[in-house]
Amino acid sequence: MTHALIWLSRDLRLADNAALRAALDSGLQPVPVYIHDTSRTTEGAAARWWLHHSLQTLQQDLRSRGSDLLILEGDSRTQLQAAARACSASHLLWNRRYEPAGVALDRAISTVLEDSGLALGSYPGNLLREPWTLAKRDGTPYRVFTPFYRELEASTPIDMPMPAPDTLPPLPDALPVSLTPDDLGLVPEISWDSAFHPHWQPGEAGAWRRLETFTRDAMADYADNRDRPDLPDTSRLSPHLHFGEISPRQIRQFVEENMRHSNEPGFVAAAESWLRQLAWREFGHHLLWHFPDTAEHPLDRRFAHFPWRDDPAGLHAWQTGQTGIPLVDAGMRELWTTGWMHNRVRMVVASLLTKNLQIPWQTGAAWFMDTLLDADLANNTLGWQWTAGCGADAAPYFRVFNPVRQGERFDPDGSYVRRWVTELSALPAKWIHRPWAAPEKVLHDAGVVPGETYPTPIVDLAESRKAALSAWDRIRQRPGNVTEQS
């Protein structure tokens, strides 16, 4: 049988894997290979933990079907060539990536190996639509979500996802010696990741379990509760999507099937609201593919002149959840403990860093990339640039989130703050989002000593808001704003 290398990266699943399915449909014997290319990896510390467990799970899934996962380390081109020669492979197949480093590597592989005798094939990756397939009437890329979403929804129906194979042929004997996930050193030597385990189950089965549980138990309430960090009403599928353990097509097909059969009031509207979040993910990849420098530079070029501040002490307080602003500290501690943070809180903590502290958005984005399990460059860039005000779909005004009002609105009884900022757990709900304003007796009764048991705020919210708006006024008349308004 003729062998085909199936080069895996952000598609760590067996179902709806276009490259794997193409090999099987062509009568080729698939050889699944994962290459840990340290010169090109973008995974932060938290995401490396997830990758370790995802690779373990994928290897077990392959073995249960009669195959295995070949794990190699080093330069991708060199390792692919060596593996192909060893087993006399005739084909190299992979699913496309859309981040700048992945795009560059795909192109380099195609260039280097086009004369190698290998038949090369790349296939649509982990999106509903590839970034270059949607464009405005003038052929330019979208920079505003709503018209992008309308075209995404109106475009050709999404293909049905492909099932996983029941069995697979064994790997050939003539292959390089495979590493194990443990050999890659992805898990930290100091067990700061110990709290990850109760919260997450990496792998294809874990992704499906989370989707099914969310759809059954929380989907109907999603539209009402999506902004509530104190409630377990979001899917937390983002790490599974990032590593390709489940595809957007699978998710969409599963949810739409449940919409057709649900008799629960409000389920369809809530499901449509949730599916819209998949479109935001598509939008992030659309932007990064068309504007690859936005991972480091603002889409709105005026923000190159924004008076950002160098504030190591403020940055450290923000990173460690010691700002004295309860909702912000709760989010940053949740992130450090679980590798995840509720999206509403992500916006609030990002606003405090970029607006109130005026620390560059790139600094916050880099911290998220290192500490988030779902550290996805496209979505991380979209979120940080949106909150900083320098990206696509930015508000026509310079929005500064008020973390006190956000807390009072979306964590009304303070249970989210109490969970993560235990120093404040005895404070009444009236004061938990602004302990600095609480009467002395209330603080005493709750065991809170400002500046000792819990920090005083590192920044005056009102004054720093004025400073941020003043800084915006100084740059707003500069040329170079590329954000559309329609």
Side-chain angles (χ1 to χ4, degrees):
M1 183 179 285
T2 305
H3 300 121
L5 295 183
I6 309 300
W7 178 28
L8 301 170
S9 57
R10 295 284 177 79
D11 47 1
L12 304 181
R13 64 181 183 274
L14 300 183
D16 205 33
N17 189 313
L20 176 61
R21 177 53 56 185
L24 294 171
D25 289 348
S26 300
L28 301 170
Q29 178 175 346
V31 179
V33 55
Y34 175 83
I35 300 172
H36 189 59
D37 190 338
T38 55
S39 67
R40 296 178 182 270
T41 184
T42 59
E43 254 71 57
R48 287 196 291 272
W49 174 91
W50 190 286
L51 176 60
H52 169 88
H53 293 284
S54 188
L55 289 172
Q56 280 188 328
T57 303
L58 177 63
Q59 190 165 55
Q60 292 165 4
D61 290 345
L62 285 164
R63 287 173 176 174
S64 72
R65 289 167 168 82
S67 183
D68 207 337
L69 179 64
L70 174 63
I71 300 176
L72 303 173
E73 186 171 26
D75 177 72
S76 297
R77 291 166 291 190
T78 302
Q79 295 298 328
L80 287 171
Q81 286 176 310
R85 284 196 300 268
C87 67
S88 302
S90 61
H91 290 70
L92 170 63
L93 311 179
W94 71 92
N95 299 311
R96 292 188 278 272
R97 281 79 56 87
Y98 306 104
E99 296 177 356
V103 171
L105 181 57
D106 286 357
R107 290 172 177 168
I109 292 294
S110 296
T111 300
V112 169
L113 299 183
E114 63 182 351
D115 297 324
S116 66
L118 279 173
L120 307 179
S122 67
Y123 298 87
N126 208 22
L127 296 173
L128 294 171
R129 287 278 178 266
E130 295 192 287
W132 55 86
T133 64
L134 299 177
K136 297 187 297 179
R137 291 181 181 178
D138 62 3
T140 59
Y142 287 102
R143 298 192 184 106
V144 173
F145 174 73
T146 300
F148 171 86
Y149 177 65
R150 283 197 296 261
E151 184 175 349
L152 178 67
E153 289 297 292
S155 58
T156 307
I158 306 299
D159 294 336
M160 290 292 291
M162 298 165 280
D166 294 326
T167 60
L168 288 166
L171 296 188
D173 295 330
L175 279 175
V177 175
S178 179
L179 302 174
T180 70
D182 288 333
D183 294 329
L184 301 180
L186 299 169
V187 176
E189 295 181 5
I190 301 173
S191 59
W192 53 259
D193 60 324
S194 58
F196 288 0
H197 298 272
H199 295 278
W200 304 104
Q201 183 191 349
E204 196 166 359
W208 275 102
R209 185 170 292 110
R210 191 168 287 277
L211 175 61
E212 291 164 355
T213 300
F214 169 70
T215 304
R216 182 188 66 240
D217 297 342
M219 180 73 82
D221 297 320
Y222 177 77
D224 294 330
N225 295 337
R226 53 176 288 191
D227 286 318
R228 294 281 299 271
D230 58 327
L231 300 176
D233 285 343
T234 55
S235 71
R236 301 195 179 203
L237 277 166
S238 49
H240 298 284
L241 274 165
H242 174 69
F243 286 99
E245 297 168 349
I246 192 169
S247 75
R249 292 198 307 181
Q250 291 174 294
I251 292 172
R252 182 161 168 161
Q253 189 270 339
F254 179 82
V255 173
E256 288 179 345
E257 185 69 18
N258 277 269
M259 290 165 65
R260 284 191 288 271
H261 294 97
S262 176
N263 296 316
E264 192 169 354
F267 183 90
V268 171
E272 288 174 344
S273 175
W274 185 77
L275 285 174
R276 189 179 174 93
Q277 300 308 306
L278 281 183
W280 273 104
R281 179 178 180 273
E282 298 279 317
F283 187 48
H285 283 274
H286 176 87
L287 288 168
L288 187 61
W289 194 87
H290 287 286
F291 305 102
D293 68 333
T294 55
E296 296 291 340
H297 303 285
L299 185 61
D300 185 338
R301 300 304 186 192
R302 292 175 297 179
F303 276 80
H305 304 282
F306 193 83
W308 301 111
R309 298 173 57 246
D310 182 24
D311 181 5
L315 175 63
H316 180 71
W318 178 83
Q319 290 172 331
T320 55
Q322 296 290 332
T323 67
I325 313 294
L327 185 63
V328 172
D329 292 343
M332 298 307 292
R333 296 182 194 188
E334 179 186 31
L335 171 62
W336 186 257
T337 303
T338 70
W340 187 85
M341 188 194 302
H342 189 282
N343 189 59
R344 170 60 56 171
V345 186
R346 293 189 196 199
M347 292 188 287
V348 173
V349 305
S351 178
L352 186 90
L353 187 77
T354 59
K355 305 290 181 58
N356 301 95
L357 296 177
Q358 289 183 221
I359 293 175
W361 65 268
Q362 295 94 328
T363 304
W367 182 254
F368 271 27
M369 287 297 290
D370 196 40
T371 54
L372 280 169
L373 291 167
D374 63 7
D376 186 275
L377 184 63
N379 287 291
N380 196 49
T381 300
L382 174 67
W384 275 95
Q385 290 221 24
W386 183 90
T387 308
C390 60
D393 219 68
Y397 53 89
F398 193 65
R399 181 177 186 178
V400 183
F401 282 88
N402 184 315
V404 175
R405 285 201 289 269
Q406 291 286 309
E408 291 172 342
R409 181 178 178 186
F410 298 115
D411 183 28
D413 59 9
S415 59
Y416 176 73
V417 166
R418 287 191 185 88
R419 179 179 182 186
W420 298 109
V421 187
T422 56
E423 309 96 298
L424 303 179
S425 59
L427 270 180
K430 180 178 179 179
W431 304 109
I432 197 164
H433 293 293
R434 48 191 180 108
W436 57 87
E440 187 173 330
K441 184 179 186 307
V442 171
L443 293 172
H444 178 270
D445 291 346
V448 178
V449 181
E452 294 184 19
T453 62
Y454 184 66
T456 55
I458 64 171
V459 64
D460 183 291
L461 294 176
E463 292 301 317
S464 58
R465 179 180 184 276
K466 291 179 184 177
L469 292 173
S470 176
W472 163 241
D473 285 339
R474 293 199 297 273
I475 69 165
R476 64 186 301 187
Q477 302 305 322
R478 284 181 172 270
N481 181 14
V482 299
T483 302
E484 305 167 353
Q485 298 301 322
S486 62

Short mmCIF file of all heavy atoms in Angstrom, two decimals, residues 4 156 158 216 385 388 428:
data_model
loop_
_atom_site.label_atom_id
_atom_site.label_comp_id
_atom_site.label_asym_id
_atom_site.label_seq_id
_atom_site.Cartn_x
_atom_site.Cartn_y
_atom_site.Cartn_z
N ALA A 4 0.99 7.84 2.81
CA ALA A 4 0.83 9.30 2.78
C ALA A 4 1.07 9.84 4.17
O ALA A 4 0.40 9.43 5.13
CB ALA A 4 -0.57 9.69 2.30
N THR A 156 -22.38 30.06 0.51
CA THR A 156 -22.77 28.68 0.22
C THR A 156 -22.90 27.87 1.50
O THR A 156 -22.10 28.03 2.42
CB THR A 156 -21.69 28.04 -0.67
OG1 THR A 156 -21.47 28.87 -1.80
CG2 THR A 156 -22.12 26.65 -1.13
N ILE A 158 -22.53 25.46 4.53
CA ILE A 158 -21.33 24.82 5.05
C ILE A 158 -21.40 23.31 4.78
O ILE A 158 -22.43 22.67 4.99
CB ILE A 158 -21.22 25.08 6.57
CG1 ILE A 158 -21.28 26.58 6.88
CG2 ILE A 158 -19.95 24.46 7.13
CD1 ILE A 158 -20.20 27.39 6.26
N ARG A 216 -26.88 20.88 26.28
CA ARG A 216 -27.98 20.32 27.06
C ARG A 216 -28.33 21.18 28.28
O ARG A 216 -29.50 21.42 28.57
CB ARG A 216 -27.60 18.92 27.53
CG ARG A 216 -28.68 18.20 28.32
CD ARG A 216 -28.17 16.90 28.91
NE ARG A 216 -27.15 17.12 29.93
CZ ARG A 216 -25.91 16.64 29.84
NH1 ARG A 216 -25.52 15.92 28.81
NH2 ARG A 216 -25.03 16.88 30.81
N GLN A 385 -6.89 44.39 20.43
CA GLN A 385 -6.99 45.62 19.63
C GLN A 385 -8.38 46.24 19.76
O GLN A 385 -8.51 47.47 19.78
CB GLN A 385 -6.65 45.32 18.18
CG GLN A 385 -5.18 45.00 17.95
CD GLN A 385 -4.64 45.65 16.68
OE1 GLN A 385 -5.16 46.64 16.19
NE2 GLN A 385 -3.58 45.07 16.14
N ALA A 388 -8.41 47.97 23.20
CA ALA A 388 -7.53 49.14 23.19
C ALA A 388 -8.08 50.26 22.32
O ALA A 388 -7.68 51.41 22.46
CB ALA A 388 -6.13 48.74 22.74
N PRO A 428 -20.23 42.50 52.08
CA PRO A 428 -21.57 42.50 51.47
C PRO A 428 -21.49 42.84 49.99
O PRO A 428 -20.55 43.52 49.53
CB PRO A 428 -22.31 43.58 52.25
CG PRO A 428 -21.52 43.80 53.50
CD PRO A 428 -20.10 43.49 53.16
#
